[in-house]
Amino acid sequence: AWWLAIVRTTYLTWVARLRGKARAVFDSPQVSEGGALFRAALWRKQINSACGTPVEEVTPVVVFRHEAIPLVMNEDFWQRMDTGKKNKIRTPEGKKWAKGTPLSGSAPDASADMKEFTIRAFIDSGGIVLACGLAFEEDVAQYVEEDKLSHDDAKLRAKQHLIPGVIIQPSGFFAVLKAQDEGCKYMLGS
């Protein structure tokens, strides 16, 4: 069927990027300060140092879903929609509401060690980041409400504010289960 071809070419592009026998999917239904991404990146380092598995033979996958979906949106979205305040996410000092996802690495005072625990660095190093399409609809709805856009226009606008390299899935549970079908071990990341 034609729709099956669209699903395969759109949603499943990441499957071909899975490599090696060391595969894990880190499920992130909560914000938890981006703990799932941190754990996934740290796991890759640990399996390399403890077991000697080459990094290129390790594939971590992170699925941001449910309440964690704002973490895959860029700073423009966070500032425009006041996401830090809405989700009660504060800056590292804890004094102000965050104006961007803690996983962007764009904070000027972020240490070099922490800059490797960003979505962009994670993807650049071979990690895979997936986002729940159902939860993403909440971001779309914010543009419908705030900017008085049609659903289709709001979805296009929301996609413009998705961190590059993040792949939207039909749902987070689809992504988590598909990753397991492809040999990824499951880890609740947050």
Side-chain angles (χ1 to χ4, degrees):
W2 62 269
W3 60 270
L4 191 55
I6 291 172
V7 168
R8 287 186 181 138
T9 58
T10 304
Y11 295 125
L12 300 179
T13 56
W14 59 274
V15 173
R17 292 177 30 214
L18 293 167
R19 61 196 189 284
K21 291 182 181 177
R23 299 175 177 188
V25 59
F26 294 78
D27 183 13
S28 181
Q30 305 297 318
V31 172
S32 300
E33 298 175 338
L37 187 84
F38 178 78
R39 287 175 182 85
L42 191 58
W43 168 73
R44 181 173 42 203
K45 284 179 136 185
Q46 291 171 340
I47 200 165
N48 172 257
S49 63
C51 302
T53 307
V55 173
E56 55 276 357
E57 292 296 317
V58 179
T59 307
V61 178
V62 179
V63 178
F64 291 102
R65 62 183 185 89
H66 198 51
E67 293 177 10
I69 202 69
L71 294 174
V72 299
M73 302 302 286
N74 70 16
E75 276 70 22
D76 291 339
F77 175 86
W78 275 62
Q79 290 171 20
R80 169 79 172 83
M81 300 301 173
D82 208 9
T83 302
K85 185 175 182 179
K86 284 180 185 173
N87 292 282
K88 297 182 178 24
I89 301 169
R90 296 194 176 270
T91 60
E93 315 79 55
K95 295 179 182 175
K96 297 180 182 178
W97 297 117
K99 294 292 182 191
T101 175
L103 302 179
S104 71
S106 65
D109 57 347
S111 70
D113 288 343
M114 290 314 292
K115 288 192 182 213
E116 74 177 275
F117 296 105
T118 65
I119 288 176
R120 184 77 255 149
F122 184 75
I123 292 170
D124 288 348
S125 67
I128 298 169
V129 178
L130 307 175
C132 175
L134 296 175
F136 184 71
E137 285 296 322
E138 293 177 24
D139 295 340
V140 172
Q142 290 182 64
Y143 282 109
V144 168
E145 184 180 328
E146 294 287 324
D147 294 351
K148 309 298 183 226
L149 298 173
S150 70
H151 179 269
D152 290 344
D153 289 342
K155 192 166 194 169
L156 286 173
R157 175 125 351 129
K159 283 183 178 180
Q160 292 171 346
H161 295 283
L162 192 65
I163 293 174
V166 174
I167 304 168
I168 297 175
Q169 298 294 285
S171 66
F173 52 87
F174 170 90
V176 168
L177 293 171
K178 181 62 179 162
Q180 289 178 77
D181 286 346
E182 298 296 330
C184 294
K185 293 178 176 74
Y186 176 82
M187 173 71 187
L188 180 59
S190 55

